[in-house]
Amino acid sequence: MSTAKPAYLVAAEDLRDNEDQWNAYESTGNCVILAGPGSGKTKTITVKVARLLTETVRRPQRVACITYSNACVGELRTRLNKLGVDDGNRILISTVHSFCLTELVLPYAAMAGIAVPAPLLVATPAESRKLFGVAYSAVLGGTPSSSFRTSCDKLRRTIPDKDCDDWRAWSPRETRVVEDYEDLLLAKGLIDFDGLVLAGLELIEKHEWVRRAIRAKYPVVVIDEYQDLGLPLHRIVRALLDAGVRVIAVGDPDQSIYGFTGAKPALLKALAEDPRMQAVTLKLNYRCADRIIAASRTLFPDRANFQSHDDRQGEIRIHKLERDLTGQAKYALETLVPALLDANRTWTSGDIALLYRSMAEGKQIAQAADRLRMRYFRLDNGSPIKRTRLTEWLTEAAQWCADGWKTGQVQISQLLKSWQRMQRSGKSEAQLLVSRKRVIAALFSLREGTLPLCKWLKSLDSAVLDEMLRSEPGLSDEVDILADLIAATEAGGALEKFTVEIFGNQGKSPDQINLMTLHSSKGLEFQAVIMLGLEKGVFPSSYDKTPEQLEESARLFYVGVTRAKAQVHLTFDTNESPLITTIRKAT
């Protein structure tokens, strides 16, 4: 019999020297872990989850891990797999939308008499846009702007109760459009992703038997990136706490950068102050050098006193270039990047990231890189390859088809597990077996890296993707993304010349410079970060006027600065952002 320690116990030894991490690991009740950048929070919670599954939660009970995005889901799953925890019958790792769909709405809505369509169909983004436009035209006339739609989405996420005084006091322009839009969805037999969360909230708050059912199945619920998840989830968590579910929440109010979606950093602070919760702050930063930490702390001088775990000094440089954004990008790519690589021989292009505010800026920076014939990985809404569950699966499948099946770089077993995880709406084992066989047959017939990507995608779509997307309500958002991806591979598209092999290599790789929005960079780290376009009136935007808007801009800037391990470079035209002025105090 093997006497080797379980992987989680080996990993836990690394936490002992950090008193805060150890306190979080050893906590036995409800716990809020306040975790700054680079504080090792993902390691701490994944080791803790592995311990819970081994020592506390017994079959058939499970642990639920809920987080903000599919990228966060992937990171948690990868870390837990390394500790021997598989996302199968012991643990659920999902976004809040997926949790509400599979664990609340699908099993309980009909029994509770909640007004959701039957059978449940989730609107695609295109269907949602169309019905919202119809509602807007009926109520106000004309066509809605994107900012009006964003405002209405935020309204639904921040005032979920339509019979409360706050809703009645709100502008009727927005409340009437939202009410008409939701009526149209229901009349068409559809629900959107925000509607899933609102339905889940209604089930949890109004039905004690639903709370008991969740507690029986999931005695422990872990929520990562709590500061990004908004009021409906906060109320779900409070109701679960009342029902006796053990809650472990992790987050950082200083990294709350999704206020436009309804996220509120104050909710995490309120949870940490709940007398039922033990609050632990992880104060050591394992990522950033001392000067970067000192500079970032000037943005929030009254917050927790985060410290570096070693004596690296690091570097922050501010560049007044007297050039527009295109000129700044050219300078960064032609001058700064080569200088960084020359001075740090162990670095690769993939260790450097160019960060910017929006997709429009990303387009200009990508064009500058194209003119210089530089390879890059772009992560923003302007990229033809979006970062979603389906496209990540397709990228891995392309790697397998190109050469991975020979080299073992990608395992067919992992592809099949990922395929099955995308199908969570109650398919029988027999149906899943048929689906797996079709996937295997399709992939084996497409094992050729030189195949045009267009042909490969269309073959997969016909063989397996179309049926899965039509039958799986939780993947409705992927329908338009796949259609756009296929369109981009056709004649005249951005990916017209892509082969299967090229597509498979589009993930982040060592020889590609990284171009990404500040929002997309959250959770990532690089040796060096170059932040572009930091002019006064641009960042913060001239439209950011309220204290809440200005503070969120500061938090976004903070996220960008703290992605860097060793060096930060800030560029602007002639008039520097007040955020740079603040940073100067520490440099």
Side-chain angles (χ1 to χ4, degrees):
M1 185 174 68
S2 174
T3 59
K5 278 187 177 182
Y8 82 90
L9 287 178
V10 176
E13 289 301 313
D14 294 337
L15 307 181
R16 283 186 181 274
D17 292 335
N18 184 320
E19 182 181 359
D20 300 323
Q21 288 183 340
W22 189 253
N23 286 340
Y25 174 73
E26 287 281 87
S27 65
T28 57
N30 302 311
C31 184
V32 173
I33 303 171
L34 300 169
S39 60
K41 62 100 173 172
T42 304
K43 179 172 183 176
T44 303
I45 62 168
T46 51
V47 174
K48 187 170 183 64
V49 166
R51 182 185 191 181
L52 286 166
L53 287 169
T54 304
E55 302 178 10
T56 305
V57 178
R58 304 300 182 190
R59 294 180 187 274
Q61 292 185 313
R62 310 171 72 194
V63 170
C65 290
I66 304 170
T67 189
Y68 178 73
S69 67
N70 289 305
C72 296
V73 167
E75 174 69 10
L76 285 173
R77 182 175 291 127
T78 299
R79 296 286 193 99
L80 285 165
N81 284 345
K82 290 178 180 177
L83 296 173
V85 177
D86 191 23
D87 184 9
N89 62 0
R90 299 292 323 280
I91 187 169
L92 171 74
I93 310 172
S94 76
T95 63
V96 62
H97 298 99
S98 180
F99 179 83
C100 287
L101 171 66
T102 62
E103 307 306 308
L104 294 172
V105 178
L106 280 174
Y108 304 128
M111 287 187 285
I114 298 293
V116 298
L120 191 74
L121 295 175
V122 182
T124 67
E127 290 170 331
S128 174
R129 285 192 298 272
K130 180 180 179 181
L131 292 177
F132 188 86
V134 172
Y136 182 93
S137 178
V139 174
L140 301 175
T143 303
S145 64
S146 60
S147 61
F148 185 86
R149 174 65 193 268
T150 299
S151 179
C152 287
D153 289 343
K154 182 176 179 179
L155 171 63
R156 296 175 72 201
R157 297 164 187 156
T158 52
I159 309 179
D161 306 308
K162 294 181 177 57
D163 57 353
C164 70
D165 292 339
D166 286 342
W167 183 269
R168 287 187 286 269
W170 204 264
S171 165
R173 282 175 53 86
E174 293 169 341
T175 57
R176 286 173 57 205
V177 170
V178 166
E179 289 165 356
D180 269 37
Y181 165 65
E182 292 182 346
D183 288 344
L184 283 171
L185 280 170
L186 194 57
K188 293 288 185 180
L190 297 170
I191 190 171
D192 66 2
F193 282 97
D194 284 333
L196 287 173
V197 178
L198 296 175
L201 174 62
E202 184 177 351
L203 284 162
I204 283 285
E205 286 193 330
K206 293 186 177 180
H207 299 280
E208 192 265 344
W209 60 270
V210 174
R211 296 193 292 275
R212 284 193 285 112
I214 293 298
R215 184 185 63 202
K217 188 175 182 180
Y218 297 108
V220 180
V221 174
V222 180
I223 306 102
D224 191 21
E225 303 292 355
Y226 195 94
Q227 74 282 348
D228 293 332
L229 291 168
L231 182 62
L233 181 76
H234 181 67
R235 285 174 45 177
I236 288 173
V237 167
R238 298 296 290 264
L240 291 176
L241 273 172
D242 292 341
V245 174
R246 180 178 172 187
V247 171
I248 300 168
V250 189
D252 179 10
D254 292 343
Q255 294 186 74
S256 180
I257 56 174
Y258 294 99
F260 61 92
T261 70
K264 293 183 177 181
L267 298 177
L268 177 58
K269 296 177 183 178
L271 187 68
E273 292 167 0
D274 189 307
R276 295 171 291 182
M277 308 296 295
Q278 174 188 359
V280 177
T281 301
L282 305 185
K283 294 184 286 292
L284 281 183
N285 186 320
Y286 291 87
R287 177 190 304 151
C288 305
D290 283 338
R291 286 175 181 157
I292 296 172
I293 294 172
S296 67
R297 280 175 53 197
T298 64
L299 295 165
F300 306 108
D302 59 333
R303 307 289 169 82
N305 188 17
F306 296 108
Q307 306 164 0
S308 173
H309 86 292
D310 58 22
D311 295 323
R312 290 177 300 122
Q313 289 301 296
E315 189 174 359
I316 291 187
R317 290 191 179 181
I318 298 170
H319 306 265
K320 180 179 178 179
L321 297 178
E322 299 186 358
R323 305 182 189 186
D324 62 11
L325 183 65
T326 298
Q328 292 176 45
K330 188 172 184 291
Y331 174 79
L333 294 165
E334 275 189 324
T335 304
L336 289 181
V337 170
L340 287 168
L341 294 176
D342 286 343
N344 302 277
R345 294 295 183 174
T346 61
W347 292 9
T348 66
S349 296
D351 288 316
I352 303 170
L354 273 61
L355 306 183
Y356 43 88
R357 187 75 184 262
S358 71
M359 178 183 73
E361 293 166 319
K363 181 178 180 181
Q364 294 182 60
I365 296 166
Q367 288 171 343
D370 288 337
R371 285 191 288 269
L372 295 169
R373 298 184 180 278
M374 294 185 70
R375 297 189 69 223
Y376 58 85
F377 169 71
R378 183 179 174 190
L379 188 56
D380 64 38
N381 286 334
S383 171
I385 305 174
K386 303 294 189 293
R387 191 179 180 188
T388 71
R389 288 166 291 179
L390 180 60
T391 55
E392 288 189 356
W393 185 85
L394 288 169
T395 301
E396 290 183 0
Q399 291 171 359
W400 186 85
C401 287
D403 210 26
W405 64 278
K406 294 179 184 176
T407 65
Q409 176 188 5
V410 180
Q411 299 290 332
I412 189 74
S413 59
Q414 290 302 317
L415 284 174
L416 292 174
K417 283 183 179 179
S418 299
W419 174 263
Q420 185 163 330
R421 277 194 294 264
M422 287 191 286
Q423 302 177 77
R424 281 183 158 156
S425 62
K427 285 186 172 66
S428 67
E429 275 302 317
Q431 290 172 314
L432 289 172
L433 179 60
V434 170
S435 176
R436 286 195 295 269
K437 287 180 177 179
R438 292 174 62 195
V439 170
I440 293 169
L443 291 176
F444 269 84
S445 71
L446 294 167
R447 288 182 298 168
E448 178 52 66
T450 61
L451 273 177
L453 180 59
C454 185
K455 179 178 180 180
W456 185 82
L457 284 173
K458 287 183 175 179
S459 296
L460 272 179
D461 187 30
S462 174
V464 292
L465 297 178
D466 180 65
E467 188 277 331
M468 179 186 71
L469 293 178
R470 283 189 291 104
S471 65
E472 190 66 29
L475 295 177
S476 65
D477 55 331
E478 302 280 6
V479 173
D480 294 349
I481 288 170
L482 178 61
D484 290 344
L485 179 61
I486 292 174
T489 67
E490 294 176 331
L495 308 180
E496 177 186 4
K497 297 181 180 179
F498 268 43
T499 63
V500 173
E501 182 178 14
I502 293 172
F503 177 68
N505 289 329
Q506 280 304 295
K508 183 175 180 285
S509 69
D511 62 342
Q512 295 173 322
I513 196 81
N514 297 282
L515 312 181
M516 58 186 66
T517 59
L518 288 155
H519 285 94
S520 298
S521 73
K522 189 167 177 289
L524 303 177
E525 63 181 24
F526 307 92
Q527 290 290 352
V529 158
I530 303 170
M531 294 172 62
L532 307 173
L534 300 177
E535 287 83 40
K536 183 178 181 180
V538 175
F539 198 173
S541 164
S542 57
Y543 297 104
D544 293 333
K545 298 184 183 299
T546 68
E548 292 79 11
Q549 290 170 330
L550 292 170
E551 185 162 322
E552 177 144 326
S553 286
R555 291 196 296 267
L556 187 59
F557 189 76
Y558 174 81
V559 165
V561 169
T562 55
R563 297 312 92 198
K565 296 180 180 180
Q567 292 195 34
V568 175
H569 294 263
L570 310 173
T571 77
F572 67 98
D573 189 344
T574 53
N575 296 313
E576 69 185 28
S577 162
L579 294 168
I580 289 184
T581 305
T582 301
I583 287 287
R584 281 190 188 277
K585 297 175 183 178
T587 61

